[in-house]
């Protein structure tokens, strides 16, 4: 897996989480919605889960679980749980 792509997804997801959703490309928005488990964002963009998966592509799709775990770990560290 490409570490640079993983970091890109993590960064864009972090940006989206903190209000920077509007400045992302459609693919980045969809990836962030998947990483952050935000089906409401997918619905707002008129994408189904299946369409979002297809749009982000297999390479990014493979990185989404790892990106989600990293952001969850960041949240736990920030809350003093890790």
């Amino acid at each position: 897996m490409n570490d640079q792509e993983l970091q890109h997804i993590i960064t864009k997801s972090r940006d989206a989480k903190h209000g920077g959703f509007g400045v992302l490309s459609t693919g980045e928005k969809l990836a962030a919605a998947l990483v952050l488990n935000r089906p409401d964002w997918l619905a707002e963009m008129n994408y189904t889960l299946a369409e979002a998966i297809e749009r982000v592509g297999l390479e990014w799709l493979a990185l989404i679980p790892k990106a989600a775990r990293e952001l969850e770990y960041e949240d736990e560290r920030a809350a003093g749980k890790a």
Side-chain angles (χ1 to χ4, degrees), residues 26-39:
T26 300
E28 291 168 343
K29 287 178 184 180
L30 293 171
L34 294 170
V35 167
L36 299 171
N37 195 27
R38 294 294 305 261

Side-chain angles (χ1 to χ4, degrees), residues 1-30:
M1 289 188 207
N2 185 333
D3 285 340
Q4 191 173 10
E5 288 295 316
L6 175 62
Q7 287 307 311
H8 179 80
I9 292 169
I10 290 170
T11 299
K12 297 302 181 178
S13 297
R14 190 182 296 122
D15 291 346
K17 184 177 181 178
H18 298 292
F21 192 70
V23 299
L24 306 180
S25 72
T26 300
E28 291 168 343
K29 287 178 184 180
L30 293 171

Side-chain angles (χ1 to χ4, degrees), residues 19 57 67 72 75:
E72 186 177 331
D75 289 345

